[in-house]
PDB file of all heavy atoms in Angstrom:
ATOM      1  N   VAL A   1      31.013 -22.154   9.004  1.00  0.00           N
ATOM      2  CA  VAL A   1      29.702 -21.636   9.402  1.00  0.00           C
ATOM      3  C   VAL A   1      29.364 -20.397   8.574  1.00  0.00           C
ATOM      4  O   VAL A   1      28.236 -20.236   8.105  1.00  0.00           O
ATOM      5  CB  VAL A   1      29.666 -21.310  10.910  1.00  0.00           C
ATOM      6  CG1 VAL A   1      28.395 -20.561  11.269  1.00  0.00           C
ATOM      7  CG2 VAL A   1      29.762 -22.594  11.724  1.00  0.00           C
ATOM      8  N   VAL A   2      30.350 -19.523   8.381  1.00  0.00           N
ATOM      9  CA  VAL A   2      30.119 -18.317   7.582  1.00  0.00           C
ATOM     10  C   VAL A   2      29.851 -18.680   6.120  1.00  0.00           C
ATOM     11  O   VAL A   2      28.933 -18.150   5.483  1.00  0.00           O
ATOM     12  CB  VAL A   2      31.324 -17.358   7.681  1.00  0.00           C
ATOM     13  CG1 VAL A   2      31.181 -16.204   6.694  1.00  0.00           C
ATOM     14  CG2 VAL A   2      31.447 -16.816   9.106  1.00  0.00           C
ATOM     15  N   GLY A   3      30.635 -19.597   5.570  1.00  0.00           N
ATOM     16  CA  GLY A   3      30.462 -19.966   4.175  1.00  0.00           C
ATOM     17  C   GLY A   3      29.264 -20.861   3.932  1.00  0.00           C
ATOM     18  O   GLY A   3      28.674 -20.839   2.854  1.00  0.00           O
ATOM     19  N   GLY A   4      28.895 -21.653   4.937  1.00  0.00           N
ATOM     20  CA  GLY A   4      27.819 -22.631   4.782  1.00  0.00           C
ATOM     21  C   GLY A   4      28.373 -24.029   4.997  1.00  0.00           C
ATOM     22  O   GLY A   4      29.331 -24.425   4.322  1.00  0.00           O
ATOM     23  N   LEU A   5      27.784 -24.777   5.936  1.00  0.00           N
ATOM     24  CA  LEU A   5      28.322 -26.084   6.302  1.00  0.00           C
ATOM     25  C   LEU A   5      28.397 -27.058   5.131  1.00  0.00           C
ATOM     26  O   LEU A   5      29.240 -27.948   5.118  1.00  0.00           O
ATOM     27  CB  LEU A   5      27.462 -26.701   7.416  1.00  0.00           C
ATOM     28  CG  LEU A   5      27.786 -26.265   8.851  1.00  0.00           C
ATOM     29  CD1 LEU A   5      26.734 -26.804   9.801  1.00  0.00           C
ATOM     30  CD2 LEU A   5      29.161 -26.754   9.257  1.00  0.00           C
ATOM     31  N   ASP A   6      27.518 -26.899   4.149  1.00  0.00           N
ATOM     32  CA  ASP A   6      27.486 -27.849   3.038  1.00  0.00           C
ATOM     33  C   ASP A   6      27.986 -27.238   1.735  1.00  0.00           C
ATOM     34  O   ASP A   6      27.742 -27.778   0.667  1.00  0.00           O
ATOM     35  CB  ASP A   6      26.069 -28.387   2.841  1.00  0.00           C
ATOM     36  CG  ASP A   6      25.054 -27.281   2.581  1.00  0.00           C
ATOM     37  OD1 ASP A   6      25.438 -26.099   2.661  1.00  0.00           O
ATOM     38  OD2 ASP A   6      23.884 -27.604   2.313  1.00  0.00           O
ATOM     39  N   SER A   7      28.723 -26.126   1.811  1.00  0.00           N
ATOM     40  CA  SER A   7      29.175 -25.442   0.605  1.00  0.00           C
ATOM     41  C   SER A   7      30.694 -25.403   0.536  1.00  0.00           C
ATOM     42  O   SER A   7      31.351 -24.746   1.351  1.00  0.00           O
ATOM     43  CB  SER A   7      28.619 -24.007   0.560  1.00  0.00           C
ATOM     44  OG  SER A   7      29.155 -23.299  -0.536  1.00  0.00           O
ATOM     45  N   LEU A   8      31.270 -26.107  -0.432  1.00  0.00           N
ATOM     46  CA  LEU A   8      32.715 -26.083  -0.623  1.00  0.00           C
ATOM     47  C   LEU A   8      33.184 -24.720  -1.130  1.00  0.00           C
ATOM     48  O   LEU A   8      34.205 -24.192  -0.677  1.00  0.00           O
ATOM     49  CB  LEU A   8      33.121 -27.173  -1.619  1.00  0.00           C
ATOM     50  CG  LEU A   8      32.914 -28.620  -1.135  1.00  0.00           C
ATOM     51  CD1 LEU A   8      33.108 -29.592  -2.292  1.00  0.00           C
ATOM     52  CD2 LEU A   8      33.867 -28.959  -0.006  1.00  0.00           C
ATOM     53  N   ALA A   9      32.442 -24.140  -2.064  1.00  0.00           N
ATOM     54  CA  ALA A   9      32.797 -22.804  -2.560  1.00  0.00           C
ATOM     55  C   ALA A   9      32.668 -21.771  -1.450  1.00  0.00           C
ATOM     56  O   ALA A   9      33.457 -20.822  -1.368  1.00  0.00           O
ATOM     57  CB  ALA A   9      31.905 -22.431  -3.740  1.00  0.00           C
ATOM     58  N   GLY A  10      31.672 -21.935  -0.581  1.00  0.00           N
ATOM     59  CA  GLY A  10      31.494 -21.023   0.548  1.00  0.00           C
ATOM     60  C   GLY A  10      32.681 -21.060   1.491  1.00  0.00           C
ATOM     61  O   GLY A  10      33.113 -20.020   2.013  1.00  0.00           O
ATOM     62  N   ALA A  11      33.248 -22.251   1.714  1.00  0.00           N
ATOM     63  CA  ALA A  11      34.433 -22.366   2.573  1.00  0.00           C
ATOM     64  C   ALA A  11      35.610 -21.608   1.979  1.00  0.00           C
ATOM     65  O   ALA A  11      36.376 -20.953   2.701  1.00  0.00           O
ATOM     66  CB  ALA A  11      34.791 -23.838   2.768  1.00  0.00           C
ATOM     67  N   LEU A  12      35.750 -21.678   0.658  1.00  0.00           N
ATOM     68  CA  LEU A  12      36.846 -20.972  -0.012  1.00  0.00           C
ATOM     69  C   LEU A  12      36.709 -19.459   0.153  1.00  0.00           C
ATOM     70  O   LEU A  12      37.656 -18.768   0.559  1.00  0.00           O
ATOM     71  CB  LEU A  12      36.862 -21.349  -1.488  1.00  0.00           C
ATOM     72  CG  LEU A  12      37.885 -20.640  -2.377  1.00  0.00           C
ATOM     73  CD1 LEU A  12      39.290 -20.912  -1.898  1.00  0.00           C
ATOM     74  CD2 LEU A  12      37.729 -21.073  -3.830  1.00  0.00           C
ATOM     75  N   ILE A  13      35.528 -18.930  -0.139  1.00  0.00           N
ATOM     76  CA  ILE A  13      35.314 -17.486  -0.067  1.00  0.00           C
ATOM     77  C   ILE A  13      35.382 -16.996   1.376  1.00  0.00           C
ATOM     78  O   ILE A  13      35.981 -15.954   1.673  1.00  0.00           O
ATOM     79  CB  ILE A  13      33.968 -17.124  -0.714  1.00  0.00           C
ATOM     80  CG1 ILE A  13      34.021 -17.433  -2.215  1.00  0.00           C
ATOM     81  CG2 ILE A  13      33.626 -15.648  -0.494  1.00  0.00           C
ATOM     82  CD1 ILE A  13      32.716 -17.264  -2.927  1.00  0.00           C
ATOM     83  N   ALA A  14      34.783 -17.746   2.309  1.00  0.00           N
ATOM     84  CA  ALA A  14      34.812 -17.345   3.719  1.00  0.00           C
ATOM     85  C   ALA A  14      36.232 -17.394   4.273  1.00  0.00           C
ATOM     86  O   ALA A  14      36.605 -16.581   5.130  1.00  0.00           O
ATOM     87  CB  ALA A  14      33.889 -18.243   4.544  1.00  0.00           C
ATOM     88  N   GLY A  15      37.051 -18.330   3.797  1.00  0.00           N
ATOM     89  CA  GLY A  15      38.447 -18.386   4.233  1.00  0.00           C
ATOM     90  C   GLY A  15      39.200 -17.123   3.843  1.00  0.00           C
ATOM     91  O   GLY A  15      39.932 -16.539   4.657  1.00  0.00           O
ATOM     92  N   PHE A  16      39.027 -16.679   2.591  1.00  0.00           N
ATOM     93  CA  PHE A  16      39.643 -15.424   2.165  1.00  0.00           C
ATOM     94  C   PHE A  16      39.136 -14.249   3.003  1.00  0.00           C
ATOM     95  O   PHE A  16      39.907 -13.375   3.418  1.00  0.00           O
ATOM     96  CB  PHE A  16      39.345 -15.159   0.693  1.00  0.00           C
ATOM     97  CG  PHE A  16      40.140 -16.012  -0.250  1.00  0.00           C
ATOM     98  CD1 PHE A  16      39.522 -16.701  -1.282  1.00  0.00           C
ATOM     99  CD2 PHE A  16      41.508 -16.142  -0.114  1.00  0.00           C
ATOM    100  CE1 PHE A  16      40.251 -17.488  -2.164  1.00  0.00           C
ATOM    101  CE2 PHE A  16      42.257 -16.921  -0.978  1.00  0.00           C
ATOM    102  CZ  PHE A  16      41.624 -17.599  -2.009  1.00  0.00           C
ATOM    103  N   LEU A  17      37.829 -14.217   3.257  1.00  0.00           N
ATOM    104  CA  LEU A  17      37.227 -13.118   4.014  1.00  0.00           C
ATOM    105  C   LEU A  17      37.794 -13.030   5.417  1.00  0.00           C
ATOM    106  O   LEU A  17      38.210 -11.947   5.874  1.00  0.00           O
ATOM    107  CB  LEU A  17      35.709 -13.304   4.068  1.00  0.00           C
ATOM    108  CG  LEU A  17      34.919 -12.311   4.931  1.00  0.00           C
ATOM    109  CD1 LEU A  17      35.085 -10.893   4.395  1.00  0.00           C
ATOM    110  CD2 LEU A  17      33.449 -12.688   4.984  1.00  0.00           C
ATOM    111  N   LEU A  18      37.873 -14.161   6.104  1.00  0.00           N
ATOM    112  CA  LEU A  18      38.374 -14.141   7.485  1.00  0.00           C
ATOM    113  C   LEU A  18      39.871 -13.835   7.524  1.00  0.00           C
ATOM    114  O   LEU A  18      40.341 -13.162   8.444  1.00  0.00           O
ATOM    115  CB  LEU A  18      38.087 -15.482   8.155  1.00  0.00           C
ATOM    116  CG  LEU A  18      36.645 -15.695   8.614  1.00  0.00           C
ATOM    117  CD1 LEU A  18      36.489 -17.044   9.298  1.00  0.00           C
ATOM    118  CD2 LEU A  18      36.212 -14.602   9.579  1.00  0.00           C
ATOM    119  N   GLY A  19      40.605 -14.321   6.547  1.00  0.00           N
ATOM    120  CA  GLY A  19      42.036 -14.009   6.501  1.00  0.00           C
ATOM    121  C   GLY A  19      42.286 -12.518   6.368  1.00  0.00           C
ATOM    122  O   GLY A  19      43.147 -11.948   7.059  1.00  0.00           O
ATOM    123  N   ILE A  20      41.531 -11.859   5.498  1.00  0.00           N
ATOM    124  CA  ILE A  20      41.674 -10.411   5.307  1.00  0.00           C
ATOM    125  C   ILE A  20      41.231  -9.658   6.560  1.00  0.00           C
ATOM    126  O   ILE A  20      41.891  -8.701   6.995  1.00  0.00           O
ATOM    127  CB  ILE A  20      40.872  -9.958   4.076  1.00  0.00           C
ATOM    128  CG1 ILE A  20      41.512 -10.515   2.801  1.00  0.00           C
ATOM    129  CG2 ILE A  20      40.804  -8.428   3.997  1.00  0.00           C
ATOM    130  CD1 ILE A  20      40.703 -10.267   1.548  1.00  0.00           C
ATOM    131  N   LEU A  21      40.112 -10.073   7.166  1.00  0.00           N
ATOM    132  CA  LEU A  21      39.638  -9.408   8.387  1.00  0.00           C
ATOM    133  C   LEU A  21      40.661  -9.520   9.514  1.00  0.00           C
ATOM    134  O   LEU A  21      40.902  -8.556  10.247  1.00  0.00           O
ATOM    135  CB  LEU A  21      38.303 -10.011   8.828  1.00  0.00           C
ATOM    136  CG  LEU A  21      37.058  -9.594   8.034  1.00  0.00           C
ATOM    137  CD1 LEU A  21      35.828 -10.347   8.535  1.00  0.00           C
ATOM    138  CD2 LEU A  21      36.836  -8.088   8.146  1.00  0.00           C
ATOM    139  N   GLU A  22      41.262 -10.687   9.662  1.00  0.00           N
ATOM    140  CA  GLU A  22      42.285 -10.868  10.694  1.00  0.00           C
ATOM    141  C   GLU A  22      43.479  -9.951  10.445  1.00  0.00           C
ATOM    142  O   GLU A  22      44.012  -9.329  11.385  1.00  0.00           O
ATOM    143  CB  GLU A  22      42.747 -12.322  10.731  1.00  0.00           C
ATOM    144  CG  GLU A  22      41.824 -13.255  11.487  1.00  0.00           C
ATOM    145  CD  GLU A  22      42.460 -14.596  11.726  1.00  0.00           C
ATOM    146  OE1 GLU A  22      43.551 -14.848  11.169  1.00  0.00           O
ATOM    147  OE2 GLU A  22      41.870 -15.396  12.462  1.00  0.00           O
ATOM    148  N   ALA A  23      43.926  -9.889   9.192  1.00  0.00           N
ATOM    149  CA  ALA A  23      45.082  -9.057   8.865  1.00  0.00           C
ATOM    150  C   ALA A  23      44.809  -7.584   9.139  1.00  0.00           C
ATOM    151  O   ALA A  23      45.652  -6.874   9.719  1.00  0.00           O
ATOM    152  CB  ALA A  23      45.477  -9.263   7.391  1.00  0.00           C
ATOM    153  N   PHE A  24      43.641  -7.077   8.762  1.00  0.00           N
ATOM    154  CA  PHE A  24      43.308  -5.673   8.998  1.00  0.00           C
ATOM    155  C   PHE A  24      43.108  -5.389  10.481  1.00  0.00           C
ATOM    156  O   PHE A  24      43.436  -4.304  10.966  1.00  0.00           O
ATOM    157  CB  PHE A  24      42.050  -5.284   8.208  1.00  0.00           C
ATOM    158  CG  PHE A  24      42.341  -4.835   6.806  1.00  0.00           C
ATOM    159  CD1 PHE A  24      42.569  -5.760   5.796  1.00  0.00           C
ATOM    160  CD2 PHE A  24      42.411  -3.487   6.491  1.00  0.00           C
ATOM    161  CE1 PHE A  24      42.854  -5.350   4.499  1.00  0.00           C
ATOM    162  CE2 PHE A  24      42.690  -3.059   5.204  1.00  0.00           C
ATOM    163  CZ  PHE A  24      42.918  -3.997   4.206  1.00  0.00           C
ATOM    164  N   THR A  25      42.572  -6.376  11.208  1.00  0.00           N
ATOM    165  CA  THR A  25      42.399  -6.184  12.653  1.00  0.00           C
ATOM    166  C   THR A  25      43.745  -6.064  13.341  1.00  0.00           C
ATOM    167  O   THR A  25      43.961  -5.181  14.173  1.00  0.00           O
ATOM    168  CB  THR A  25      41.610  -7.356  13.251  1.00  0.00           C
ATOM    169  OG1 THR A  25      40.315  -7.434  12.630  1.00  0.00           O
ATOM    170  CG2 THR A  25      41.419  -7.169  14.758  1.00  0.00           C
ATOM    171  N   GLU A  26      44.671  -6.955  12.981  1.00  0.00           N
ATOM    172  CA  GLU A  26      45.990  -6.940  13.609  1.00  0.00           C
ATOM    173  C   GLU A  26      46.822  -5.746  13.169  1.00  0.00           C
ATOM    174  O   GLU A  26      47.565  -5.168  13.976  1.00  0.00           O
ATOM    175  CB  GLU A  26      46.721  -8.246  13.286  1.00  0.00           C
ATOM    176  CG  GLU A  26      48.066  -8.381  13.981  1.00  0.00           C
ATOM    177  CD  GLU A  26      48.732  -9.710  13.703  1.00  0.00           C
ATOM    178  OE1 GLU A  26      48.233 -10.456  12.826  1.00  0.00           O
ATOM    179  OE2 GLU A  26      49.748 -10.021  14.345  1.00  0.00           O
ATOM    180  N   GLY A  27      46.709  -5.358  11.907  1.00  0.00           N
ATOM    181  CA  GLY A  27      47.581  -4.314  11.387  1.00  0.00           C
ATOM    182  C   GLY A  27      47.066  -2.903  11.544  1.00  0.00           C
ATOM    183  O   GLY A  27      47.858  -1.954  11.609  1.00  0.00           O
ATOM    184  N   ILE A  28      45.726  -2.714  11.635  1.00  0.00           N
ATOM    185  CA  ILE A  28      45.163  -1.366  11.700  1.00  0.00           C
ATOM    186  C   ILE A  28      44.291  -1.157  12.934  1.00  0.00           C
ATOM    187  O   ILE A  28      44.510  -0.227  13.714  1.00  0.00           O
ATOM    188  CB  ILE A  28      44.331  -1.070  10.425  1.00  0.00           C
ATOM    189  CG1 ILE A  28      45.252  -1.046   9.192  1.00  0.00           C
ATOM    190  CG2 ILE A  28      43.598   0.262  10.555  1.00  0.00           C
ATOM    191  CD1 ILE A  28      44.514  -0.817   7.886  1.00  0.00           C
ATOM    192  N   LEU A  29      43.292  -2.028  13.119  1.00  0.00           N
ATOM    193  CA  LEU A  29      42.334  -1.813  14.201  1.00  0.00           C
ATOM    194  C   LEU A  29      42.976  -1.904  15.577  1.00  0.00           C
ATOM    195  O   LEU A  29      42.776  -1.013  16.421  1.00  0.00           O
ATOM    196  CB  LEU A  29      41.196  -2.835  14.094  1.00  0.00           C
ATOM    197  CG  LEU A  29      40.117  -2.759  15.182  1.00  0.00           C
ATOM    198  CD1 LEU A  29      39.446  -1.383  15.181  1.00  0.00           C
ATOM    199  CD2 LEU A  29      39.081  -3.866  14.998  1.00  0.00           C
ATOM    200  N   THR A  30      43.753  -2.951  15.819  1.00  0.00           N
ATOM    201  CA  THR A  30      44.354  -3.136  17.144  1.00  0.00           C
ATOM    202  C   THR A  30      45.300  -1.994  17.523  1.00  0.00           C
ATOM    203  O   THR A  30      45.182  -1.431  18.620  1.00  0.00           O
ATOM    204  CB  THR A  30      45.080  -4.488  17.211  1.00  0.00           C
ATOM    205  OG1 THR A  30      44.125  -5.551  17.034  1.00  0.00           O
ATOM    206  CG2 THR A  30      45.769  -4.668  18.562  1.00  0.00           C
ATOM    207  N   PRO A  31      46.271  -1.586  16.664  1.00  0.00           N
ATOM    208  CA  PRO A  31      47.151  -0.466  17.046  1.00  0.00           C
ATOM    209  C   PRO A  31      46.395   0.839  17.304  1.00  0.00           C
ATOM    210  O   PRO A  31      46.699   1.564  18.256  1.00  0.00           O
ATOM    211  CB  PRO A  31      48.091  -0.331  15.851  1.00  0.00           C
ATOM    212  CG  PRO A  31      48.059  -1.657  15.178  1.00  0.00           C
ATOM    213  CD  PRO A  31      46.670  -2.159  15.372  1.00  0.00           C
ATOM    214  N   ASN A  32      45.410   1.161  16.454  1.00  0.00           N
ATOM    215  CA  ASN A  32      44.656   2.405  16.639  1.00  0.00           C
ATOM    216  C   ASN A  32      43.800   2.353  17.902  1.00  0.00           C
ATOM    217  O   ASN A  32      43.686   3.362  18.617  1.00  0.00           O
ATOM    218  CB  ASN A  32      43.756   2.660  15.425  1.00  0.00           C
ATOM    219  CG  ASN A  32      44.545   3.041  14.187  1.00  0.00           C
ATOM    220  OD1 ASN A  32      45.654   3.571  14.288  1.00  0.00           O
ATOM    221  ND2 ASN A  32      43.999   2.767  13.015  1.00  0.00           N
ATOM    222  N   LEU A  33      43.204   1.204  18.176  1.00  0.00           N
ATOM    223  CA  LEU A  33      42.395   1.071  19.386  1.00  0.00           C
ATOM    224  C   LEU A  33      43.251   1.172  20.634  1.00  0.00           C
ATOM    225  O   LEU A  33      42.860   1.828  21.619  1.00  0.00           O
ATOM    226  CB  LEU A  33      41.648  -0.269  19.361  1.00  0.00           C
ATOM    227  CG  LEU A  33      40.719  -0.556  20.549  1.00  0.00           C
ATOM    228  CD1 LEU A  33      39.658   0.528  20.673  1.00  0.00           C
ATOM    229  CD2 LEU A  33      40.079  -1.934  20.409  1.00  0.00           C
ATOM    230  N   GLU A  34      44.432   0.557  20.626  1.00  0.00           N
ATOM    231  CA  GLU A  34      45.332   0.641  21.774  1.00  0.00           C
ATOM    232  C   GLU A  34      45.819   2.073  21.991  1.00  0.00           C
ATOM    233  O   GLU A  34      45.922   2.537  23.140  1.00  0.00           O
ATOM    234  CB  GLU A  34      46.519  -0.306  21.568  1.00  0.00           C
ATOM    235  CG  GLU A  34      46.161  -1.775  21.723  1.00  0.00           C
ATOM    236  CD  GLU A  34      47.334  -2.693  21.482  1.00  0.00           C
ATOM    237  OE1 GLU A  34      48.334  -2.227  20.881  1.00  0.00           O
ATOM    238  OE2 GLU A  34      47.277  -3.861  21.880  1.00  0.00           O
ATOM    239  N   GLU A  35      46.115   2.775  20.915  1.00  0.00           N
ATOM    240  CA  GLU A  35      46.545   4.172  21.027  1.00  0.00           C
ATOM    241  C   GLU A  35      45.439   5.033  21.641  1.00  0.00           C
ATOM    242  O   GLU A  35      45.699   5.890  22.507  1.00  0.00           O
ATOM    243  CB  GLU A  35      46.925   4.706  19.654  1.00  0.00           C
ATOM    244  CG  GLU A  35      47.444   6.139  19.674  1.00  0.00           C
ATOM    245  CD  GLU A  35      47.840   6.625  18.297  1.00  0.00           C
ATOM    246  OE1 GLU A  35      47.795   5.814  17.340  1.00  0.00           O
ATOM    247  OE2 GLU A  35      48.193   7.809  18.169  1.00  0.00           O
ATOM    248  N   PHE A  36      44.206   4.791  21.218  1.00  0.00           N
ATOM    249  CA  PHE A  36      43.071   5.536  21.776  1.00  0.00           C
ATOM    250  C   PHE A  36      42.879   5.222  23.253  1.00  0.00           C
ATOM    251  O   PHE A  36      42.686   6.138  24.084  1.00  0.00           O
ATOM    252  CB  PHE A  36      41.803   5.204  20.996  1.00  0.00           C
ATOM    253  CG  PHE A  36      40.548   5.744  21.621  1.00  0.00           C
ATOM    254  CD1 PHE A  36      40.238   7.095  21.542  1.00  0.00           C
ATOM    255  CD2 PHE A  36      39.693   4.895  22.313  1.00  0.00           C
ATOM    256  CE1 PHE A  36      39.085   7.599  22.140  1.00  0.00           C
ATOM    257  CE2 PHE A  36      38.537   5.391  22.914  1.00  0.00           C
ATOM    258  CZ  PHE A  36      38.232   6.742  22.830  1.00  0.00           C
ATOM    259  N   LEU A  37      42.949   3.954  23.618  1.00  0.00           N
ATOM    260  CA  LEU A  37      42.735   3.562  25.014  1.00  0.00           C
ATOM    261  C   LEU A  37      43.829   4.104  25.919  1.00  0.00           C
ATOM    262  O   LEU A  37      43.563   4.484  27.071  1.00  0.00           O
ATOM    263  CB  LEU A  37      42.649   2.037  25.122  1.00  0.00           C
ATOM    264  CG  LEU A  37      41.399   1.388  24.516  1.00  0.00           C
ATOM    265  CD1 LEU A  37      41.497  -0.128  24.583  1.00  0.00           C
ATOM    266  CD2 LEU A  37      40.140   1.860  25.248  1.00  0.00           C
ATOM    267  N   ARG A  38      45.060   4.154  25.426  1.00  0.00           N
ATOM    268  CA  ARG A  38      46.151   4.702  26.235  1.00  0.00           C
ATOM    269  C   ARG A  38      45.962   6.195  26.496  1.00  0.00           C
ATOM    270  O   ARG A  38      46.397   6.722  27.524  1.00  0.00           O
ATOM    271  CB  ARG A  38      47.483   4.476  25.525  1.00  0.00           C
ATOM    272  CG  ARG A  38      47.930   3.028  25.468  1.00  0.00           C
ATOM    273  CD  ARG A  38      49.365   2.899  24.966  1.00  0.00           C
ATOM    274  NE  ARG A  38      49.707   1.529  24.658  1.00  0.00           N
ATOM    275  CZ  ARG A  38      49.802   1.043  23.416  1.00  0.00           C
ATOM    276  NH1 ARG A  38      49.637   1.864  22.390  1.00  0.00           N
ATOM    277  NH2 ARG A  38      50.097  -0.225  23.215  1.00  0.00           N
ATOM    278  N   SER A  39      45.316   6.872  25.553  1.00  0.00           N
ATOM    279  CA  SER A  39      45.108   8.313  25.708  1.00  0.00           C
ATOM    280  C   SER A  39      43.977   8.648  26.671  1.00  0.00           C
ATOM    281  O   SER A  39      43.947   9.751  27.222  1.00  0.00           O
ATOM    282  CB  SER A  39      44.825   8.959  24.346  1.00  0.00           C
ATOM    283  OG  SER A  39      43.593   8.486  23.825  1.00  0.00           O
ATOM    284  N   VAL A  40      43.048   7.727  26.881  1.00  0.00           N
ATOM    285  CA  VAL A  40      41.892   8.021  27.741  1.00  0.00           C
ATOM    286  C   VAL A  40      41.836   7.155  28.979  1.00  0.00           C
ATOM    287  O   VAL A  40      40.978   7.373  29.848  1.00  0.00           O
ATOM    288  CB  VAL A  40      40.572   7.845  26.947  1.00  0.00           C
ATOM    289  CG1 VAL A  40      40.522   8.830  25.784  1.00  0.00           C
ATOM    290  CG2 VAL A  40      40.398   6.417  26.470  1.00  0.00           C
ATOM    291  N   SER A  41      42.741   6.161  29.101  1.00  0.00           N
ATOM    292  CA  SER A  41      42.699   5.270  30.265  1.00  0.00           C
ATOM    293  C   SER A  41      44.079   4.701  30.512  1.00  0.00           C
ATOM    294  O   SER A  41      45.056   5.065  29.850  1.00  0.00           O
ATOM    295  CB  SER A  41      41.687   4.135  30.029  1.00  0.00           C
ATOM    296  OG  SER A  41      42.152   3.273  29.001  1.00  0.00           O
ATOM    297  N   SER A  42      44.137   3.806  31.471  1.00  0.00           N
ATOM    298  CA  SER A  42      45.415   3.156  31.802  1.00  0.00           C
ATOM    299  C   SER A  42      45.595   1.837  31.063  1.00  0.00           C
ATOM    300  O   SER A  42      46.569   1.121  31.295  1.00  0.00           O
ATOM    301  CB  SER A  42      45.490   2.902  33.318  1.00  0.00           C
ATOM    302  OG  SER A  42      44.411   2.058  33.729  1.00  0.00           O
ATOM    303  N   ILE A  43      44.687   1.488  30.193  1.00  0.00           N
ATOM    304  CA  ILE A  43      44.775   0.247  29.429  1.00  0.00           C
ATOM    305  C   ILE A  43      45.885   0.379  28.387  1.00  0.00           C
ATOM    306  O   ILE A  43      45.906   1.322  27.605  1.00  0.00           O
ATOM    307  CB  ILE A  43      43.432  -0.079  28.737  1.00  0.00           C
ATOM    308  CG1 ILE A  43      42.343  -0.286  29.784  1.00  0.00           C
ATOM    309  CG2 ILE A  43      43.570  -1.325  27.862  1.00  0.00           C
ATOM    310  CD1 ILE A  43      40.967  -0.512  29.195  1.00  0.00           C
TER     311      ILE A  43
END
């Protein structure tokens, strides 16, 4: 959907994009967000 339903090149580029976003979310965003939430709440 991100690359375009009828675009093979779009699927390739969107696959790289989502892979990188997932990696940064798991490795940076999630730990920092959890650390912040623990400091201000019981989450």
Side-chain angles (χ1 to χ4, degrees):
V1 170
V2 172
L5 276 172
D6 58 354
S7 174
L8 293 170
L12 176 60
I13 294 174
F16 285 131
L17 175 62
L18 283 182
I20 292 173
L21 284 176
E22 279 192 352
F24 273 80
T25 300
E26 184 177 9
I28 295 178
L29 179 59
T30 297
N32 289 334
L33 181 58
E34 287 179 343
E35 182 179 355
F36 171 75
L37 290 175
R38 290 190 191 105
S39 66
V40 298
S41 68
S42 60
I43 298 176

